[in-house]
Amino acid sequence: MSYFECLPPELLSYILELACLADAPSQTQTAAVLGRVSKLWRQMINSTPAIWTSFYVSKDKDPRSLEARLLRSGGMPFDVHVVDNETRLKAAREQLNALAEHSARWRNVEISHPEAFTLLGKAVPLFLPELQSLAVQTTSYPLSDALMYRYAIPDYPATPNFPLGWRNRMYASLLCLDLCDIELRPQESEDFLGFLEAHSALEKLSLRNVWEVDAYIPSRTVVLPHLKELQLRGIPSSEILQWFTAPKLQHLVVEKSSQLRYWTPVVIKSNYATATNVTLIRFSTAPDALLNVLHGVPLASEVKLVSKDLRSRHSFCTESILIEHKLPLLTSLHIHGVASLPRLKAVVEAYKETLTEVKTHCLDLGLPEESILKDYGERDEALAWLKGQTTFKFDIEHSSDAFGGRYRYHKDQRCHEKM
């Protein structure tokens, strides 16, 4: 008799469950392989419902094969994943339709597929009473190896011309909503805000690149009393920042698009006043907007500022604004794209009493791009001062651009060795 056969049935069941779920999305194959070890293992696997509560849509799966797994799940809530880009739309819809017969048990839905918009609109049921998390992302079509060298830009599908029906969707238990590249048409914006208002139990909301270019943005505010994390990526209008009021917000991420120019006014009032962890992306070229957002988060203790466009003459404002508008509770500061180490030193000196951690990705030499000076003494002095402080942890790295490469003016190998 093996040692495993001496284990209590509950412990053996739990071990087999962990072994199968750790091999996602291939837990079905793993369960079949482990079931061949012995008759006892096969019985335990088939009688452990938790092993059969994750369904992955794939190109080779027959919808009829899902019935046996649904029976083995024993009526427990289950998760649905559509993450195989090679699965054709028809096959994905057929499998989702087979699972839709048990829609009262859907717990978490993850769709990452080129036809994600269509799958959300046509295959995800409108009524899911147990749904807790919905994450939908449009991905590019997979390219063959031969086409990868010819087409540098990913091929995204055109958005179908039908509504997503936000007004009719009812997910009473929804806690997390993540939409990426799922277009919110102007005529659906009001319905979407109404959907969020009806699902006020949300704790996490992420909207990434979901707005049409030059789209109409309704002026309205929705109160989300339980929201703890909010991500707004690629916002084309400052009106979007006024869509939500979150009295319990902790984590705020905002990324402006190129449509939100440096002169665009931003007013968020006290909508996110409780946020303690704040990440602002691309705001280095919008000084007024950056200052107004910092005014709206007075309790921020962890701040991350990410700069991706440092060619503008307005891109060197971040350090000055941090000094001009001081955050009294700031303990952790991460600036991605520092243009001047002496100016970073000035920021740290202004916050020295509260800072415990400083992390920076240094862009340049600490001198203006057009400078022809070769004396880097001021920069080296600032770097030595920052590294010599003992009241906070200091970490510095070379910065990368949006495509993972070095910035254009990043050439000083001597500075790289010092870092």
Side-chain angles (χ1 to χ4, degrees):
M1 180 180 292
S2 68
Y3 290 109
F4 278 101
E5 293 179 355
C6 297
L7 292 174
E10 296 83 1
L11 181 56
L12 177 59
S13 173
Y14 183 62
I15 293 173
L16 293 173
E17 176 188 340
L18 293 179
C20 293
L21 297 181
D23 202 22
S26 303
Q27 69 261 36
T28 304
Q29 291 87 340
T30 304
V33 171
L34 293 177
R36 298 192 188 104
V37 173
S38 69
K39 182 178 179 181
L40 173 63
W41 282 30
R42 184 164 57 254
Q43 291 175 345
M44 294 298 296
I45 288 174
N46 291 337
S47 61
T48 304
I51 294 177
W52 309 98
T53 55
S54 292
F55 292 85
Y56 285 84
V57 171
S58 64
K59 60 180 179 179
D60 301 323
K61 190 170 292 181
D62 186 347
R64 292 172 294 184
S65 66
L66 299 174
E67 287 299 327
R69 297 183 58 197
L70 286 166
L71 290 174
R72 291 172 184 168
S73 65
M76 292 182 63
F78 58 80
D79 304 332
V80 179
H81 305 271
V82 186
V83 293
D84 185 359
N85 287 357
E86 297 182 358
T87 304
R88 297 292 183 183
L89 177 61
K90 181 181 179 181
R93 289 188 62 176
E94 289 176 349
Q95 294 175 53
L96 288 176
N97 289 336
L99 294 172
E101 297 179 8
H102 303 264
S103 60
R105 295 165 53 196
W106 287 29
R107 178 177 54 193
N108 300 305
V109 175
E110 178 190 13
I111 302 176
S112 181
H113 192 271
E115 300 291 346
F117 189 100
T118 302
L119 292 173
L120 176 60
K122 299 293 186 180
V124 175
L126 298 177
F127 181 68
L128 297 171
E130 297 296 325
L131 186 67
Q132 297 180 10
S133 172
L134 175 62
V136 187
Q137 176 180 3
T138 300
T139 60
S140 60
Y141 287 112
L143 297 176
S144 64
D145 294 338
L147 294 177
M148 286 290 289
Y149 295 97
R150 174 170 292 189
Y151 301 102
I153 301 177
D155 182 20
Y156 287 91
T159 303
N161 189 24
F162 59 80
L164 290 175
W166 291 107
R167 178 181 298 180
N168 301 321
R169 295 184 180 273
M170 299 178 63
Y171 307 143
S173 303
L174 189 64
L175 299 176
C176 175
L177 177 63
D178 184 349
L179 301 179
C180 180
D181 292 311
I182 299 296
E183 195 170 274
L184 286 178
R185 294 189 174 88
Q187 61 270 25
E188 285 195 290
S189 295
E190 289 285 358
D191 291 346
F192 179 71
L193 291 176
F195 167 84
L196 294 178
E197 196 168 32
H199 296 78
S200 58
L202 272 173
E203 295 181 358
K204 180 180 178 180
L205 175 61
S206 178
L207 304 178
R208 297 175 286 166
N209 304 318
V210 300
W211 297 276
E212 282 185 336
V213 177
D214 299 324
Y216 162 72
I217 304 297
S219 180
R220 181 182 172 187
T221 301
V222 174
V223 179
L224 299 175
H226 302 285
L227 194 67
K228 297 178 181 178
E229 180 176 345
L230 174 64
Q231 292 193 36
L232 301 174
R233 306 289 294 268
I235 60 171
S237 169
S238 60
E239 293 285 342
I240 295 169
L241 289 173
Q242 302 181 42
W243 272 7
F244 312 107
T245 293
K248 294 184 179 180
L249 190 68
Q250 299 173 5
H251 189 190
L252 174 66
V253 178
V254 181
E255 177 185 6
K256 78 174 188 67
S257 69
S258 57
Q259 288 179 269
L260 206 156
R261 303 296 184 180
Y262 71 88
W263 61 81
T264 306
V266 172
V267 180
I268 63 173
K269 300 179 181 179
S270 59
N271 296 28
Y272 315 118
T274 60
T276 57
N277 189 319
V278 179
T279 299
L280 302 177
I281 306 171
R282 299 182 186 271
F283 274 84
S284 61
T285 54
D288 290 341
L290 175 59
L291 182 59
N292 290 335
V293 173
L294 291 179
H295 273 296
V297 288
L299 302 182
S301 60
E302 299 179 40
V303 174
K304 181 177 181 180
L305 304 172
V306 181
S307 302
K308 294 186 177 181
D309 182 7
L310 292 155
R311 294 168 293 175
S312 168
R313 63 186 178 90
H314 299 278
S315 63
F316 304 101
C317 66
T318 302
E319 296 90 342
S320 301
I321 288 177
L322 283 171
I323 297 175
E324 176 185 346
H325 176 71
K326 194 170 181 180
L327 297 169
L329 302 179
L330 185 64
T331 59
S332 176
L333 176 63
H334 181 186
I335 303 182
H336 189 293
V338 170
S340 169
L341 286 177
R343 275 198 266 180
L344 176 63
K345 175 188 173 183
V347 173
V348 174
E349 286 180 324
Y351 289 91
K352 193 175 179 180
E353 294 182 0
T354 59
L355 277 177
T356 59
E357 180 184 25
V358 178
K359 184 175 182 180
T360 178
H361 290 69
C362 188
L363 159 72
D364 204 347
L365 313 175
L367 297 170
E369 295 174 3
E370 67 274 7
S371 175
I372 59 174
L373 297 176
K374 299 302 181 182
D375 181 11
Y376 304 127
E378 186 179 3
R379 180 208 62 195
D380 294 342
E381 180 184 348
L383 179 61
W385 183 88
L386 289 166
K387 296 177 71 173
Q389 300 303 303
T390 58
T391 57
F392 58 84
K393 179 183 177 182
F394 178 66
D395 185 18
I396 184 168
E397 298 177 4
H398 272 237
S399 193
S400 300
D401 62 17
F403 301 98
R406 293 285 176 83
Y407 277 114
R408 181 179 302 174
Y409 297 99
H410 207 234
K411 301 175 181 177
D412 186 18
Q413 295 300 322
R414 191 159 60 90
C415 181
H416 180 69
E417 293 173 0
K418 287 177 178 292
M419 294 178 185

